Amino acid sequence: MGALREYFAAIGRTIVTLGDGLAVTFSYLLRKPTTIQYPDRTAQPVVAMLPERSRGMLENDVEHCTGCSMCAKQCPIDCIHITVVKDEETKTRSLTQFDIDAGKCMYCGLCVEACPIGCLRHSLEFEGAMYDINRLMLHFVTEPRVVAKPPKKGEEVQFAPRGSIVRKFLYEAGARPPSSGGAS
């Protein structure tokens, strides 16, 4: 008799659990969907819908970069490469390389926090699909440039609009590779 009671008790628990699961499922049937059909059916560009604190690809406003290399020192996976050369005659420092390997970056934000000027930041750009992963190496310095002086206390720095710097690199890098022979 006890085995029969346990058998029906197990069936009862199964029915209650099934009812709980179906109640949750049916509650979603009447809710407005939260997903969108990207990129076809968005009311506005996806970049405009992202929250302000969203972490997209890194960009550096080299106009204001002091070449301190704090960002490269803080990067846990070495995706930032900086070279600063000092001219002994003129006693000036020049930034000759500032590269970010966007294919390697894990968007942790440690480098952004370490930047004392604020010229290194996350953009809202996140689409980095490329035909060649080597094109995700973003070269922010193309020719040597004198590093910027740190702003004076209380002085506010005017940076380029967020995303405008890296967008140029992504569209250049996203171009189709040249076809090898044959008719187009």
Side-chain angles (χ1 to χ4, degrees):
M1 190 70 154
L4 190 59
R5 185 177 312 144
E6 286 180 27
Y7 175 74
F8 285 115
I11 290 176
R13 284 192 307 270
T14 302
I15 292 172
V16 168
T17 304
L18 183 64
D20 289 343
L22 287 173
V24 170
T25 302
F26 285 126
S27 73
Y28 280 95
L29 183 66
L30 304 175
R31 294 182 190 177
K32 182 180 176 187
T34 57
T35 57
I36 57 173
Q37 300 233 343
Y38 174 77
D40 303 349
R41 299 179 185 157
T42 57
Q44 54 188 347
V46 176
V47 173
M49 294 188 291
L50 292 174
E52 184 60 31
R53 293 183 50 109
S54 179
R55 291 183 182 171
M57 291 188 162
L58 287 171
E59 66 181 359
N60 185 24
D61 195 343
V62 292
E63 298 287 326
H64 304 289
C65 183
T66 60
C68 68
S69 300
M70 291 301 295
C71 53
K73 291 174 187 167
Q74 288 297 317
C75 183
I77 54 175
D78 260 352
C79 68
I80 301 174
H81 306 285
I82 300 172
T83 305
V84 178
V85 177
K86 185 174 183 181
D87 185 5
E88 294 300 326
E89 292 176 14
T90 61
K91 303 288 186 203
T92 59
R93 296 172 54 228
S94 296
L95 190 62
T96 58
Q97 177 189 20
F98 196 107
D99 298 342
I100 298 176
D101 189 351
K104 197 173 168 185
C105 181
M106 63 181 185
Y107 306 98
C108 65
L110 293 174
C111 56
V112 174
E113 291 176 22
C115 183
I117 307 301
C119 59
L120 183 68
R121 62 191 176 206
H122 285 281
S123 69
L124 293 176
E125 298 296 325
F126 61 92
E127 295 177 325
M130 303 286 166
Y131 290 100
D132 182 12
I133 190 127
N134 295 325
R135 291 180 172 210
L136 282 173
M137 179 66 84
L138 307 175
H139 306 284
F140 290 95
V141 175
T142 54
E143 56 187 42
R145 62 180 308 119
V146 177
V147 297
K149 300 249 187 273
K152 292 179 174 60
K153 193 170 188 171
E155 184 181 353
E156 192 170 319
V157 181
Q158 293 294 323
F159 297 111
R162 188 173 173 201
S164 64
I165 299 168
V166 77
R167 193 174 302 126
K168 174 184 73 162
F169 290 103
L170 293 176
Y171 290 135
E172 287 174 4
R176 283 187 170 269
S179 60
S180 55
S184 325

